[in-house]
Every structure is written in structure tokens, then in C-alpha cells.
Amino acid sequence: MRRRTIPIPWTTGYGLARTLLALGTLGTLAFSDAATLFREVATVGQYPLCRGVTAGGAFCLVEPDHYDTMRWLCCLVLVIAASGWRPRFTAIPHAYVAFSVFTGISIPDGGDQITWVLTS
């Protein structure tokens, strides 16, 4: 009788992809000031919007004067995720930070959306 095996998807390629996604978001958060990331957009309002589902983002949980603290906490999560340490424990926090960045910053780009989709 033939034995069928299912290949394990958690390979070095998976780890490299997670690391690159985390480093991309980390670069955005670490090298951008909170005043740059969270500003008013014409006809939309002040970011983060904190309405509906987006109200669950990390930056909606703090007052505007604590955005820098939350930004650095998110950077810490991303450094741990990028290191590859225990992906089963860091996958959900990584996805949460990706969601928070995509829905929270005033001008997200396509990379932020792709990161959120791939991490969730």
C-alpha cells in the first residue's frame, strides 16, 4: 500500500516571506514620525479614523499623545516576528500590527494592504 504524505508548508521560504513582510512594516513605523503617519486627510478626517472595524486597531486604543509609544510597541512585535522566533506565537500579533498599520495610518500604500492580507 502506498503511503501519501502531505508536505509541511512551514519551510525556509515561509520564514523568509514572514521576515520580509515584518521588515517592510517595521521600516514604515521606525523611520516615520507619528505626526507623519497620523494626520488629517482632506474630505476624510483625522487618522486613525476609529470607526467600525478599524476601531479595533492598535492606534485606536490609545490617545493621540501616545501614538509614538504604540508605534514602538508595534516595532517590538515586528522585530520578534522578523526574527523567526516561534511563528505559532507571533503570527497573530504580527497580523494585528499589519491590520493596525493598514487601517490606522493616513496614507497606506499597496504594500501595507498586501502585508495585512498575507499575515492574516
Side-chain angles (χ1 to χ4, degrees):
M1 181 188 292
R2 264 179 90 188
R3 187 173 171 193
R4 293 185 182 223
T5 59
I6 298 173
I8 297 174
W10 297 279
T11 61
T12 54
Y14 170 79
L16 178 64
R18 279 194 47 159
T19 298
L20 292 175
L21 291 172
L23 289 177
T25 307
L26 178 65
T28 299
L29 291 178
F31 297 113
S32 301
D33 188 45
T36 305
L37 294 173
F38 310 107
R39 56 181 37 209
E40 188 169 350
V41 175
T43 71
V44 178
Q46 181 69 34
Y47 271 78
L49 294 176
C50 301
R51 290 180 260 180
V53 174
T54 62
F59 299 104
C60 291
L61 301 177
V62 296
E63 297 295 321
D65 54 339
H66 295 292
Y67 286 160
D68 272 327
T69 304
M70 183 58 74
R71 184 171 61 95
W72 288 114
L73 285 173
C74 289
C75 286
L76 177 64
V77 168
L78 292 170
V79 165
I80 294 169
S83 74
W85 182 79
R86 305 282 186 196
R88 65 178 170 221
F89 298 131
T90 59
I92 292 175
H94 183 191
Y96 180 69
V97 169
F99 167 77
S100 298
V101 169
F102 175 65
T103 60
I105 65 175
S106 57
I107 305 176
D109 61 3
D112 297 323
Q113 184 177 15
I114 290 169
T115 299
W116 175 49
V117 168
L118 290 177
T119 58
S120 40

